[in-house]
Amino acid sequence: MEEMLRRFGEGKTYADIPVECSADFVRRFNQLMDDDILNKNDPHRPGMFGRVRGFMVRYEVQARGSLHIHMVLWLDEVDTAEVAKEIVATMPADWDAAAEAWVEPPPTDERRHLLFKLVERKQMRNCSEVEKVGGCRERDKCRYGFPYAPHTNQVPLTDETNRKILYYRLRYEDRNISEQRRVTQRGVEFGRRRHYSHTPQRTPWEASDPGFQNVHGL
């Protein structure tokens, strides 16, 4: 894409080539589906979410003009429960109570540092204060249920009072962290083909990474 921008002329940005960006987005997503989610190269082994029995994809355009995807996967019943256990809502870092801040992993620990940056950038809710103009909170919570109380059960549960799903949150400081499946996040970001054993603990790929702690130890 950078080479294409150079051919278009000096000072051009991605906003100047919306069709090319959209085509590249679709190409990359199709590659992700074929190689990692559906695992078409080896259909006898599960993809990153397990064995997919069916799926539906919807493309939408954000206000700024970029594409994003909403996708529903129907998984094999055997894989569904195990994949659900791997979804957590915690920050992959230690909390420094004195500084009231997360302790960022060192850049030398590339994989864990990248995961921390992903969660910090994409998985943290920044709700406005109660009754603040433009805020989304009603009383003590926003319409999405944030902030959440800790939920130390690894199995996601449904809060019958509001029908929100309670994901694994180890501590109070995780109250505004959105749920994520770190195996998927890390794998897609690194752009590598992987095979996962869907276990509630670490996968073989994660077990080889000393900087990555399991879901309980964070």
Side-chain angles (χ1 to χ4, degrees), residues 178-207:
S178 298
E179 64 276 6
Q180 79 259 195
R181 183 168 179 259
R182 293 182 183 161
V183 175
T184 306
Q185 269 192 307
R186 290 182 4 140
V188 172
E189 190 74 12
F190 277 103
R192 295 163 53 172
R193 286 205 74 244
R194 296 147 308 276
H195 296 300
Y196 298 108
S197 63
H198 294 292
T199 66
Q201 303 299 324
R202 293 183 293 177
T203 64
W205 182 49
E206 291 173 316

Side-chain angles (χ1 to χ4, degrees), residues 84-218:
K85 291 178 183 179
E86 294 173 352
I87 300 175
V88 298
T90 54
M91 176 62 82
D94 298 321
W95 176 257
D96 186 333
E100 296 187 350
W102 299 105
V103 179
E104 181 176 330
T108 52
D109 188 349
E110 183 182 2
R111 291 178 177 175
R112 194 161 184 247
H113 184 265
L114 176 58
L115 178 59
F116 173 83
K117 288 298 185 182
L118 283 171
V119 175
E120 184 182 50
R121 188 171 72 250
K122 299 180 179 180
Q123 301 298 132
M124 292 186 68
R125 286 279 178 179
N126 295 309
C127 295
S128 301
E129 296 298 326
V130 179
E131 299 180 356
K132 185 175 181 180
V133 176
C136 66
R137 291 194 185 186
E138 297 179 2
R139 298 182 181 177
D140 60 336
K141 291 182 178 293
C142 77
R143 61 179 175 268
Y144 299 108
F146 294 91
Y148 281 91
H151 175 67
T152 56
N153 189 334
Q154 192 177 347
V155 178
L157 301 176
T158 302
D159 185 344
E160 296 299 336
T161 63
N162 56 20
R163 304 303 299 170
K164 303 291 185 183
I165 298 178
L166 303 175
Y167 293 99
Y168 180 81
R169 283 182 175 84
L170 181 64
R171 53 207 157 192
Y172 172 76
E173 289 76 23
D174 293 317
R175 62 191 179 280
N176 286 326
I177 304 296
S178 298
E179 64 276 6
Q180 79 259 195
R181 183 168 179 259
R182 293 182 183 161
V183 175
T184 306
Q185 269 192 307
R186 290 182 4 140
V188 172
E189 190 74 12
F190 277 103
R192 295 163 53 172
R193 286 205 74 244
R194 296 147 308 276
H195 296 300
Y196 298 108
S197 63
H198 294 292
T199 66
Q201 303 299 324
R202 293 183 293 177
T203 64
W205 182 49
E206 291 173 316
S208 65
D209 177 7
F212 186 87
Q213 302 174 29
N214 65 41
V215 68
H216 293 292
L218 296 177

Side-chain angles (χ1 to χ4, degrees), residues 29-57 71-75 193 195:
F29 175 71
N30 288 339
Q31 183 178 4
L32 174 70
M33 284 292 294
D34 292 345
D35 293 350
D36 294 288
I37 297 177
L38 301 179
N39 203 11
K40 288 186 175 181
N41 294 323
D42 190 357
H44 298 293
R45 300 192 63 173
M48 62 166 62
F49 294 107
R51 286 164 282 269
V52 178
R53 299 307 183 193
F55 65 91
M56 182 177 69
V57 175
M71 179 169 59
V72 177
L73 298 175
W74 282 268
L75 302 182
R193 286 205 74 244
H195 296 300

